[in-house]
Amino acid sequence: MARWSIDDIPDQSGRVALITGANSGLGLHSATALARKGATVVMACRSLDRAEAARRQVLDAAPEATVELLQADMSDLASVAAMADAFSQGHARLDILMHNAGVAAPPLTRTAAGHELQFATNTLAPFALTGHLLPRLQATAGSRVVNVASLAHTFGDLDIDDLDWQRRRYKEWPAYGATKLALLLFTYELQRRLVAAGLPTASVAAHPGYAITNLPASGGMKLTRTWLGRKALALGDLLLAQPGEQGALCQLYAATATDVQGGDYIGPDGFKELKGFPRKVTSRPATHNRALARQLWERLGTLSGVHYLEG
């Protein structure tokens, strides 16, 4: 069986892709690949200075592409709403909404609204942004919401009554795993609700395996704060990881491959899904708990103030 690569991405001319966290890592690789295939790419980033440098990189690879920038702090719901409004004013369609932005295992940090940073960025923001942009998605036949998940969902446990780690003692990695478990619960629940509403959008997820990105450093992960920790990460990268460009293939497959259906989960085809080429994989049984998914949906709506596809 042939292995899927960037060359297999169908022509994206006339299509619009919005990618959060697109100024580096998997997001930048995804933006570059889609731009080279003709898509209008909107890069939503926290820092416009870093985003402009990334935009120039994309245009170096795809000089004829249309690449736009929007500012958004994905940990701030007001910023997310403002970015969605700016996008909607400039675009009548949205073919690919790729929730790529994320933060991994930082020390306990709370947003201005009091939310735990990982939960706010990795779970609450994708829920809210999807709701804000649903009119553009439903106006676009064949549109897809792509949630970038993680192998970390396998060790995350969800406390529906303490999503923000207000009551429990905060632990960096369990908190990260919980956000990715929640993101997959959201992916599948969104798909069920889209189908029930008869909308033309598909909700899918992908994970990059163990890919080399700047996510550990950007999140302030504990290992990156010591010389020994950085050496351990470097050794893990050397022995187990794959380049970020390879890791991005899974989310690009989820976003563009013609055989992808709503509810699919894409990951690498190698040992333990750590590296390799895209294929359909399965997530742990807890991600398919429909009762928990409905509870999570309601809680996310309450916490974000964004309500959609109810009933």
Side-chain angles (χ1 to χ4, degrees), residues 119 156-161 163 168 178-179 181-182 185 292 296:
F119 169 67
D157 290 315
L158 204 63
D159 187 333
I160 201 70
D161 296 316
L163 296 171
R168 295 168 293 163
T179 68
L181 170 60
L185 283 162
L292 182 59
L296 176 65

Side-chain angles (χ1 to χ4, degrees), residues 127 160 163 189 193 291-307 310-311:
F127 176 88
I160 201 70
L163 296 171
E189 182 66 12
R193 292 177 184 242
L292 182 59
R294 287 192 295 270
Q295 286 182 290
L296 176 65
W297 187 279
E298 293 171 2
R299 190 60 56 87
L300 293 175
T302 298
L303 291 171
S304 67
V306 182
H307 300 277
E310 297 181 305

Side-chain angles (χ1 to χ4, degrees), residues 37-96:
K37 289 292 184 173
T40 292
V41 176
V42 182
M43 304 170 71
C45 309
R46 184 172 57 183
S47 165
L48 285 182
D49 287 340
R50 289 196 295 271
E52 178 56 37
R55 182 167 112 42
R56 288 196 295 269
Q57 283 187 248
V58 175
L59 289 173
D60 284 344
E64 302 302 316
T66 299
V67 184
E68 302 173 8
L69 301 180
L70 287 176
Q71 194 279 331
D73 179 348
M74 300 308 293
S75 70
D76 182 339
L77 289 173
S79 181
V80 169
M83 183 268 286
D85 184 60
F87 175 88
S88 297
Q89 289 183 32
H91 297 276
R93 66 182 296 137
L94 177 56
D95 297 86
I96 300 167

Side-chain angles (χ1 to χ4, degrees), residues 199-284:
L199 296 181
T201 301
S203 174
V204 298
H207 79 85
Y210 184 176
I212 300 173
T213 71
N214 68 342
L215 186 61
S218 65
M221 188 186 297
K222 184 182 294 184
L223 276 176
T224 67
R225 301 198 291 271
T226 67
W227 177 86
L228 186 59
R230 291 191 293 273
K231 289 296 183 182
L233 278 176
L235 181 60
D237 288 349
L238 179 64
L239 296 178
L240 300 173
Q242 62 183 353
E245 186 174 14
Q246 181 76 16
L249 283 181
C250 290
Q251 60 205 62
L252 287 165
Y253 185 98
T256 66
T258 57
D259 65 339
V260 170
Q261 299 179 326
D264 281 350
Y265 184 36
I266 310 301
D269 62 0
F271 177 72
K272 297 293 185 180
E273 300 174 26
L274 291 172
K275 61 174 71 174
F277 290 83
R279 69 177 175 92
K280 296 181 182 182
V281 296
T282 57
S283 55
R284 61 183 274 211

